[in-house]
Amino acid sequence: MFTQALLTLSLASVVFSQSGPYGQCGGQAWTGPTICQPGWLCTPFNARYSQCLPASSTVLMSPTGTDSIKAAAPTDPPSTKVGRLPALGWNSWNAYRCDINEAKVIAAANQFVSLGLQAAGYQYINIDDCWSNKARDATTKRIVPDPTKFPNGISGLAAEVHALGLKIGIYSDAGTATCAGYPGSLGFESVDAMTWNEWGIDYLKYDNCNVPGNWSDSSTPPGGDWYNSNSAIRYRQMTAALVAQPQPIQYSICIWGNAHVWDWGGRVGHSWRMSGDSSPTWSYITSIINTNLAHLASIQFGAHNDMDMMEIGNGALTIQEQRTHFAAWVFLKSPILLGTDMSKLTAAQLAIIKNTELLGFHQDIAVGTPAAPFKAYSTAPTTSPPEYYSGTSSKGTHVFIINTSANTTTKHFTLSSVPGLGTSGNFRLHDMWTGTDISGTYEATSSFSVSVAAHDTAAYRITKV
């Protein structure tokens, strides 16, 4: 009996000295257990922190620095079950910043239905930063929803959103904390992805704040391949965690155009931010168009340059500037996530964001490429951004004209200058904003003219007679 008691005490001390799942197991000044339970591996995160992860996990915790570590980084591609077309939805940040709660999210979901946005194709209701407690659960290491803001938890909220036939998104960060100082997911990718899957999350916006120095990129990565940069590997870790879940989650990489993300974003996620946060200004709209134009080759089905959330309904943009804002996101096939209190949208603003013909180009299931600039006529001036764009859809060839001038101006283009139309034949033009045909037909050699208001965008579909 004495021997048995000693054995029991010995076994108990071994178990007690082991760190639990996702618990800390090492790091500078750490005096706790350094051994994980069976099936879990003590994995270094940095010099100050090591964590117990599933032994079978492919998620890399150590910072990069050697070719062998980079070779071990996950290479999982994003799910092909979601994200084929650019997302259509709403995000809470531009409207509410950190003043977010369950009631506002449910209101947005109901407005999708009542305002006809769901019928127009919008489906994602996405929560941005500030939704959780400031600390993870001490035992499970899970992120905990703020019970005051979300009394029914995120899972209860997700159930309500799903009951309306919509999808729900969440926010986290590929650093130690979010931009607002809430728990980040760097080092917790597996547990967070599992948690979101259990809650019923359909979309993840993954930000880029509070990145430890050893996880950032101070120079071009060895070999010049940004897919193997520290930044890309941080996001690749979350890709691996997401694709391991039973239900697909659309993955939005919010890396602000850093680390040449357009070169590797399509191998890691479904969309990637091209810049810092948007603002409701004409200068932001024109600058982000120029940024996107430099990387149009990166856009295809399942891979989209993200020009950030919509500012329609915010600030002092004119209605013409809001039309251009929407049209540019459409013809460059950026995700379109509304970012305002939708109860305040006017009829004119709703008409813009619900335009079925522009949304049809954006969501075309047969053509995944965006429109691109073209020279409208031989003596057309150079502007920044370019004013004339053409693209194709399953319904024909399209021309979009931005008036970058501060005055109403007559714009024109020669039909034979439009890529793909050819130099012969007759054509009919259709106004995509009004949904009506332009009277008459035009020969390939003809020039079409239209008066465009300051900072407005005209949109046409051209078909051969």
Side-chain angles (χ1 to χ4, degrees):
M1 291 179 62
F2 180 73
T3 301
Q4 181 64 37
L6 285 177
L7 178 60
T8 301
L9 180 62
S10 175
L11 290 173
S13 64
V14 169
V15 172
F16 182 75
S17 65
Q18 294 176 344
S19 184
Y22 300 104
Q24 186 171 356
C25 57
Q28 291 175 354
W30 173 248
T31 59
T34 58
I35 299 173
C36 300
Q37 294 179 6
W40 297 78
L41 180 66
C42 187
T43 311
F45 169 50
N46 54 41
R48 300 175 301 280
Y49 186 80
S50 297
Q51 181 187 21
C52 291
L53 289 181
S56 60
S57 174
T58 60
V59 178
L60 177 70
M61 295 299 300
S62 301
T64 60
T66 67
D67 290 339
S68 61
I69 291 176
K70 291 179 180 179
T75 58
D76 307 71
S79 172
T80 57
K81 296 179 180 179
V82 291
R84 186 172 189 267
L85 301 175
L88 285 175
W90 175 85
N91 178 283
S92 63
W93 185 254
N94 287 353
Y96 301 116
R97 296 296 195 262
C98 276
D99 187 20
I100 187 63
N101 57 45
E102 180 179 292
K104 290 176 178 176
V105 177
I106 290 297
N110 284 319
Q111 285 157 355
F112 261 29
V113 177
S114 64
L115 296 175
L117 291 164
Q118 181 186 36
Y122 292 85
Q123 57 179 335
Y124 287 102
I125 301 292
N126 294 346
I127 307 166
D128 210 280
D129 206 347
C130 313
W131 58 269
S132 74
N133 284 341
K134 283 293 184 88
R136 290 176 176 269
D137 183 280
T139 301
T140 65
K141 305 303 178 184
R142 292 190 175 208
I143 301 179
V144 181
D146 184 321
T148 302
K149 295 178 179 179
F150 298 95
N152 293 303
I154 301 299
S155 60
L157 176 60
E160 289 196 58
V161 172
H162 288 156
L164 294 171
L166 299 168
K167 297 181 179 180
I168 187 167
I170 203 72
Y171 166 98
S172 191
D173 192 282
T176 57
T178 71
C179 299
Y182 294 80
S185 293
L186 184 62
F188 295 90
E189 292 89 349
S190 290
V191 66
D192 288 352
M194 286 189 287
T195 300
W196 298 326
N197 177 77
E198 291 175 11
W199 289 348
I201 293 299
D202 304 294
Y203 186 109
L204 171 65
K205 174 185 173 182
Y206 203 39
D207 219 333
N208 193 44
C209 285
N210 296 300
V211 177
N214 61 336
W215 274 112
S216 61
D217 295 292
S218 58
S219 61
T220 302
D225 186 356
W226 285 93
Y227 179 74
N228 289 322
S229 65
N230 292 345
S231 294
I233 290 175
R234 282 188 291 117
Y235 285 88
R236 287 162 58 183
Q237 291 176 175
M238 183 55 79
T239 308
L242 293 176
V243 298
Q245 306 312 310
Q247 297 300 318
I249 297 177
Q250 187 155 334
Y251 187 19
S252 170
I253 298 171
C254 185
I255 197 173
W256 321 327
N258 293 345
H260 291 229
V261 63
W262 35 78
D263 292 337
W264 52 267
R267 300 170 63 184
V268 178
H270 300 104
S271 63
W272 47 90
R273 279 274 295 279
M274 303 289 287
S275 71
D277 287 357
S278 63
S279 65
T281 61
W282 178 246
S283 61
Y284 177 80
I285 292 171
T286 56
S287 67
I288 195 61
I289 291 172
N290 279 329
T291 300
N292 201 342
L293 293 181
H295 306 286
L296 293 185
S298 301
I299 304 171
Q300 58 183 314
F301 286 126
H304 299 98
N305 290 336
D306 184 354
M307 298 159 73
D308 201 13
M309 279 96 69
M310 287 271 105
E311 296 285 4
I312 290 175
N314 302 330
L317 292 170
T318 67
I319 198 68
Q320 292 79 20
E321 289 169 344
Q322 292 176 75
R323 280 161 53 103
T324 295
H325 183 8
F326 183 74
W329 269 238
V330 161
F331 68 68
L332 295 178
K333 301 211 170 178
S334 168
I336 294 177
L337 297 174
L338 307 177
T340 193
D341 178 350
M342 290 182 287
S343 68
K344 299 178 180 179
L345 289 172
T346 66
Q349 291 166 335
L350 284 169
I352 292 171
I353 62 178
K354 290 167 57 178
N355 183 282
T356 57
E357 298 200 16
L358 272 78
L359 288 171
F361 182 91
H362 186 258
Q363 297 287 299
D364 196 291
I365 62 172
V367 181
T369 50
F374 75 99
K375 194 172 184 64
Y377 51 95
S378 60
T379 59
T382 299
T383 60
S384 180
E387 293 191 317
Y388 296 87
Y389 302 80
S390 70
T392 60
S393 76
S394 56
K395 293 188 175 182
T397 298
H398 301 256
V399 168
F400 304 89
I401 309 170
I402 300 175
N403 179 11
T404 60
S405 168
N407 301 297
T408 297
T409 308
T410 297
K411 301 296 180 183
H412 66 275
F413 63 90
T414 304
L415 271 71
S416 59
S417 297
V418 178
L421 286 189
T423 58
S424 63
N426 293 311
F427 299 88
R428 179 172 289 112
L429 273 71
H430 176 87
D431 188 326
M432 296 173 66
W433 283 115
T434 64
T436 59
D437 289 342
I438 305 298
S439 61
T441 59
Y442 293 82
E443 296 180 354
T445 56
S446 299
S447 178
F448 175 78
S449 298
V450 60
S451 178
V452 184
H455 298 174
D456 200 358
T457 293
Y460 299 99
R461 183 178 71 240
I462 306 174
T463 52
K464 198 166 189 177
V465 176

